[in-house]
Amino acid sequence: MNIMDFNVKKLAADAGTFLSRAVQFTEEKLGQAEKTELDAHLENLLSKAECTKLWTEKIMKQTEVLLQPNPNARIEEFVYEKLDRKAPSRMNNPELLGQYMIDAGNEFGPGTAYGNALIKCGETQKRIGTADRELIQTSAINFLTPLRNFIEGDYKTITKERKLLQNKRLDLDAAKTRLKKAKVAEARAAIWAEEVTKSEQEVRITQSEFDRQAEITRLLLEGISSTHAHHLRCLNDFVEAQMTYYAQCYQYMLDLQKQLGSFPSTFLSNNNQSSTTPVQSVSTPSVLASASASLPSVSNSIVTSGLSELKSSSGSRKARVLYDYDAANSSELSLLADELQS
């Protein structure tokens, strides 16, 4: 027998097996053939595996959206990953915003209150951008990669073995159907005895193959519990990475707030100055006067008492009014912008 004859016979046998499975499957759907049911434990394991795969995919995809909201960027990263190439480095959103703020602050003038504040905010945004990169990198290694390995590795193996188990079951049930038909024919004619013996042997073989494949599939499915334990550890790593990220961001913003709060009066000095004029410190009296003038509900007594306190405490010091204010009644004080009050 040459190789060609062997290949032809193998193809014919495979075609016969495929046809037998197709006939058995069709008859089962039509209710014309019996079906061997899997045991309850194996069915539960299969259901658990499907459920794990479904939710693992959803969690993985939504985590990717959380870490990288831009769909175009995700597609680009996916393409580079498939090509086994490193994606080009680009600024993320916080870094880009930070750079814009720094450039604007330098344009307006670092010596101005607004320019100085923009630069400080920009530097903080860039620090947040760096923390964001670290979160993405840590989460990808410790959380997303294990989930993806399960989907693309373990579950694919389970799917393959499950499909093989389905084929073995169809072979077994097809053999049982042939045996049943042979026994019916044997009752009518003795010449079918040999055919019955052959069918019985075929059932024993297919039953053995089915039981073996069911055991292999069961062992793989029982590994899902270990997968859950592993994913739990990965989830803890992800939570820790998020905790570190948000703690860093909080600390950065807290430091920024303290820096901005250290010169609140400098914003007032920019009101009548160009962006190229150096920032001058504004005295406490001017702050009090501006606050008094900007609130319509402030009574004349409060304003005058505040000015009198300034005068009594510093003698010749005066306060400059920053905004016009028309008194609503006789109990309030009308003020004009740039007016000096003793």
Side-chain angles (χ1 to χ4, degrees), residues 289 292-293 303 307 321 323-327 333-337 339 341:
S292 302
V303 175
L307 294 175
V321 179
Y323 306 101
D324 292 341
Y325 174 67
D326 294 330
L333 180 66
S334 296
L335 299 172
L336 298 175
E339 180 182 355
Q341 292 287 343

Side-chain angles (χ1 to χ4, degrees), residues 201 215 315:
Q201 183 179 4
E215 181 65 16

Side-chain angles (χ1 to χ4, degrees), residues 264-334:
S265 60
T266 56
F267 286 101
L268 301 176
S269 68
N270 270 353
N271 189 59
N272 296 318
Q273 295 180 3
S274 66
S275 61
T276 57
T277 306
V279 178
Q280 299 178 356
S281 62
V282 179
S283 62
T284 303
S286 65
V287 176
L288 178 61
S290 65
S292 302
S294 61
L295 297 174
S297 60
V298 178
S299 65
N300 184 25
S301 60
I302 296 177
V303 175
T304 54
S305 62
L307 294 175
S308 62
E309 287 181 8
L310 291 174
K311 184 175 180 180
S312 61
S313 61
S314 56
S316 61
R317 297 179 67 180
K318 297 181 179 180
R320 180 181 297 277
V321 179
L322 297 180
Y323 306 101
D324 292 341
Y325 174 67
D326 294 330
N329 50 54
S330 58
S331 65
E332 296 181 352
L333 180 66
S334 296

Side-chain angles (χ1 to χ4, degrees), residues 193-321:
E194 183 179 349
E195 186 67 26
V196 171
T197 303
K198 180 179 178 183
S199 297
E200 289 176 342
Q201 183 179 4
E202 183 182 10
V203 169
R204 286 194 296 270
I205 294 174
T206 53
Q207 182 71 58
S208 175
E209 291 178 350
F210 170 76
D211 293 340
R212 179 176 176 275
Q213 185 58 39
E215 181 65 16
I216 293 173
T217 306
R218 183 186 63 79
L219 291 174
L220 283 174
L221 292 171
E222 287 178 345
I224 292 293
S225 297
S226 299
T227 299
H228 284 190
H230 178 52
H231 287 181
L232 175 59
R233 292 192 295 271
C234 297
L235 180 61
N236 287 331
D237 292 339
F238 178 57
V239 171
E240 184 177 351
Q242 282 188 305
M243 182 184 66
T244 301
Y245 169 72
Y246 289 119
Q248 286 178 327
C249 292
Y250 173 76
Q251 187 61 48
Y252 292 153
M253 298 309 296
L254 191 64
D255 294 341
L256 175 63
Q257 186 183 42
K258 291 179 181 179
Q259 293 177 26
L260 295 179
S262 64
F263 51 92
S265 60
T266 56
F267 286 101
L268 301 176
S269 68
N270 270 353
N271 189 59
N272 296 318
Q273 295 180 3
S274 66
S275 61
T276 57
T277 306
V279 178
Q280 299 178 356
S281 62
V282 179
S283 62
T284 303
S286 65
V287 176
L288 178 61
S290 65
S292 302
S294 61
L295 297 174
S297 60
V298 178
S299 65
N300 184 25
S301 60
I302 296 177
V303 175
T304 54
S305 62
L307 294 175
S308 62
E309 287 181 8
L310 291 174
K311 184 175 180 180
S312 61
S313 61
S314 56
S316 61
R317 297 179 67 180
K318 297 181 179 180
R320 180 181 297 277
V321 179

Side-chain angles (χ1 to χ4, degrees), residues 128-141:
I128 292 175
T130 301
D132 190 62
R133 288 181 182 276
E134 294 174 354
L135 172 64
I136 293 175
Q137 183 178 9
T138 303
S139 301
I141 296 174

Side-chain angles (χ1 to χ4, degrees), residues 60-121:
M60 182 179 68
K61 290 179 180 178
Q62 192 57 40
T63 303
E64 291 173 346
V65 173
L66 173 68
L67 297 175
Q68 177 51 268
N70 189 340
N72 294 329
R74 292 200 302 274
I75 293 174
E76 182 185 48
E77 291 173 358
F78 175 79
V79 172
Y80 276 100
E81 181 181 351
K82 292 301 179 183
L83 296 176
D84 198 20
R85 294 173 57 186
K86 185 178 180 181
S89 178
R90 293 189 178 89
M91 284 188 175
N92 55 30
N93 291 332
E95 289 174 332
L96 193 58
L97 174 61
Q99 189 60 52
Y100 286 164
M101 286 182 169
I102 291 174
D103 293 343
N106 289 326
E107 183 73 18
F108 296 150
T112 65
Y114 185 42
N116 191 9
L118 279 173
I119 293 175
K120 291 182 181 298
C121 289

